Amino acid sequence: MNTNIKKLIRKNLINFTPYQSARHIGGNGKVFLNANEYPISTKISYDVNLNRYPEPQPKSIINLYASYASVKKDNVIVTRGSDESIEIIIKAFCNPEKDYILYFPPTYDMYKISAEIMGIKYISVPKLSNWQLNIDDIKKINKNVKLIYICSPNNPTGNIINVKDIIKLVEIFSKKSLIIIDEAYIDFCLESSVLSLINKYKNLIILRTLSKAFALAGLRCGFAISNIEIISILKKIIAPYPIPTPVIKIAEKSLNSENILLLKKRVKKIKKNRKFLIQNLKKMSYVKKIFDSSTNYILVKFYYSKKIFEYLCSQGIILRDQSDKLNLKNCIRITIGTYKECCILIKKLNLFIKKNIFRD
Ligand SMILES: *Cc1c(COP(=O)(O)O)cnc(C)c1O
């Protein structure tokens, strides 16, 4: 018999567009500057027995991360990347048909996508032209907003969201909403973290990950940090064994003091390369604007961005086109790679400019 699967799938998923991950989009590249990964692999090996199930919430990682972040161990839950944290918070707190999540484009796509998959409604308030929150418009929302996702530093714009505004929202929405601050890139600018605010406000959750500055995107390990009450609820609903044993072993090592020192070195290096790349981009006639970044990527507005993106792609340099995102026409996000990768990019861009003299 022929089963019509389209009739079985949940209605809200029939026309659903999945997350366009960098790996998904692919490309025949040599220089991958499209997924905000660290360009060089860490050399962490492990040796484990795999016949037993892993510890559901591995104490070792929790203790080590709590110590890195200067919080108590009861404030931390480990998840399969911070993407799983984004999702389980919606699972735990949003009622289908009734509750909304709120987010502020242009920003990371997974807040909306996770809500969509779970059939939760969403609403957005565009960021101001300086990429800060539009508090006046946010205040006017009269929907049942349960969760508010703020990415800081924001992906893909690279800026930190003003702490004053975050506090305003936390206070305005203290009776009805949880505020989630996605700090995936905060290790590049730790002084800007709002983590300590969890001790003052009960409706605040911070998301962290080992995927970016820790150089472990392939590991899939992230954290949600909040007060004990919220963390206990999340622990109740997370999958039984979310963190595979090899992941636990590698995460443990990546969080020892030696590797934390290496992390600081990596961050310094990326910042140095970022400065070098920006200095060179500034000299190029086709660069319209470079947005300030506190992260391992920069957002750049180009003249002829599509042609530049395609040319670099044909040369094996893969960047992330952001043109289809709200207010990001002609913008490309460039991950900061190694010094050598920055040099190749600069060289190819200059070559493109030399070969193509367009008239405005
Ligand atoms: C990369 C990224 C994540 C995903 O992190 P994982 O821990 O790899 O799931 C979350 N939020 C933002 C803003 C990111 O850029």
Side-chain angles (χ1 to χ4, degrees):
M1 292 294 280
N2 218 350
T3 309
N4 187 350
I5 305 297
K6 282 208 183 73
K7 275 195 170 161
L8 302 180
I9 189 175
R10 278 163 45 217
K11 272 210 182 68
N12 61 315
L13 295 182
I14 291 174
N15 294 317
F16 164 74
T17 316
Y19 180 69
Q20 296 295 307
S21 71
R23 281 298 94 83
H24 206 127
I25 298 166
N28 269 332
K30 295 187 282 282
V31 180
F32 287 96
L33 304 178
N34 61 344
N36 297 345
E37 298 145 329
Y38 191 73
I40 304 167
S41 178
T42 52
K43 300 271 180 280
I44 301 179
S45 59
Y46 65 92
D47 180 17
V48 285
N49 296 327
L50 294 172
N51 57 314
R52 304 286 180 194
Y53 280 109
E55 211 183 331
Q57 278 297 305
K59 284 186 216 67
S60 54
I61 309 182
I62 289 191
N63 288 338
L64 286 162
Y65 199 82
S67 153
Y68 170 72
S70 307
V71 294
K72 296 199 185 78
K73 62 182 188 339
D74 294 336
N75 296 128
V76 182
I77 180 170
V78 196
T79 60
R80 180 182 20 84
S82 48
D83 281 342
E84 189 184 30
S85 288
I86 293 172
E87 187 184 293
I88 61 171
I89 296 167
I90 300 177
K91 259 190 201 167
F93 290 100
C94 291
N95 296 293
E97 310 300 325
K98 188 169 156 244
D99 295 332
Y100 282 76
I101 74 144
L102 169 63
Y103 64 99
F104 311 108
T107 191
Y108 189 49
D109 287 327
M110 282 307 290
Y111 318 130
K112 170 181 175 236
I113 288 177
S114 301
E116 232 179 334
I117 291 173
M118 281 181 273
I120 301 300
K121 294 190 272 194
Y122 49 84
I123 179 170
S124 64
V125 176
K127 287 206 172 73
L128 300 167
S129 57
N130 63 357
W131 306 135
Q132 291 297 327
L133 303 177
N134 186 338
I135 300 287
D136 290 338
D137 279 7
I138 295 170
K139 275 187 193 162
K140 290 181 199 146
I141 292 177
N142 56 3
K143 298 270 199 290
N144 229 343
V145 170
K146 186 60 83 62
L147 302 177
I148 302 175
Y149 282 90
I150 300 174
C151 189
S152 180
N154 187 44
N155 180 1
T157 53
N159 64 299
I160 309 263
I161 303 302
N162 292 335
V163 181
K164 266 202 270 176
D165 289 346
I166 290 177
I167 293 176
K168 263 187 211 159
L169 286 197
V170 169
E171 290 182 345
I172 293 169
F173 287 88
S174 66
K175 293 249 162 37
K176 55 182 267 192
S177 318
L178 299 180
I179 319 290
I180 299 109
I181 314 292
D182 184 345
E183 292 192 338
Y185 298 95
I186 203 71
D187 310 282
F188 294 102
C189 47
L190 259 188
E191 66 286 353
S192 300
S193 173
V194 292
L195 188 55
S196 61
L197 293 180
I198 62 160
N199 299 314
K200 185 163 178 204
Y201 299 102
K202 281 212 81 174
N203 59 333
L204 189 62
I205 306 176
I206 312 293
L207 307 184
R208 295 285 188 88
T209 179
L210 299 187
S211 294
K212 307 290 159 58
F214 279 85
L216 292 168
L219 192 65
R220 313 305 305 129
C221 187
F223 305 89
I225 305 175
S226 185
N227 59 72
I228 297 174
E229 205 176 345
I230 286 178
I231 294 302
S232 318
I233 293 168
L234 297 179
K235 281 181 183 168
K236 271 196 210 172
I237 63 142
I238 195 169
Y241 305 104
I243 315 297
T245 308
V247 174
I248 298 175
K249 292 298 166 195
I250 295 171
E252 268 172 21
K253 283 199 183 168
S254 77
L255 289 163
N256 70 23
S257 51
E258 194 184 327
N259 277 308
I260 297 290
L261 275 179
L262 286 178
L263 162 83
K264 310 266 179 215
K265 278 195 186 155
R266 278 198 294 273
V267 167
K268 267 202 188 132
K269 189 127 213 189
I270 290 290
K271 284 187 185 168
K272 207 170 143 201
N273 292 351
R274 183 176 74 200
K275 197 171 162 194
F276 170 72
L277 181 61
I278 290 173
Q279 276 169 351
N280 280 277
L281 287 172
K282 272 187 178 160
K283 297 180 204 152
M284 295 179 194
S285 57
Y286 287 2
V287 171
K288 196 168 184 180
K289 184 162 182 158
I290 306 167
F291 294 95
D292 284 339
S293 171
S294 304
T295 66
N296 66 333
Y297 55 87
I298 50 174
L299 185 71
V300 184
K301 193 168 202 160
F302 286 95
Y303 296 98
Y304 310 104
S305 72
K306 197 165 184 295
K307 284 200 169 71
I308 290 172
F309 179 81
E310 281 166 4
Y311 168 76
L312 290 172
C313 207
S314 75
Q315 300 296 304
I317 301 173
I318 316 294
L319 309 181
R320 190 78 181 239
D321 189 6
Q322 301 286 338
S323 283
D324 55 343
K325 291 212 173 172
L326 184 73
N327 298 331
L328 295 189
K329 210 159 169 277
N330 300 320
C331 290
I332 295 177
R333 193 191 68 191
I334 306 174
T335 302
I336 309 300
T338 60
Y339 177 75
K340 198 173 152 203
E341 287 172 328
C342 292
C343 290
I344 296 173
L345 173 65
I346 292 160
K347 199 173 136 202
K348 291 288 181 190
L349 271 170
N350 281 325
L351 209 65
F352 173 86
I353 293 168
K354 231 189 227 166
K355 283 204 283 193
N356 299 276
I357 308 298
F358 295 111
R359 274 189 222 114
D360 281 319

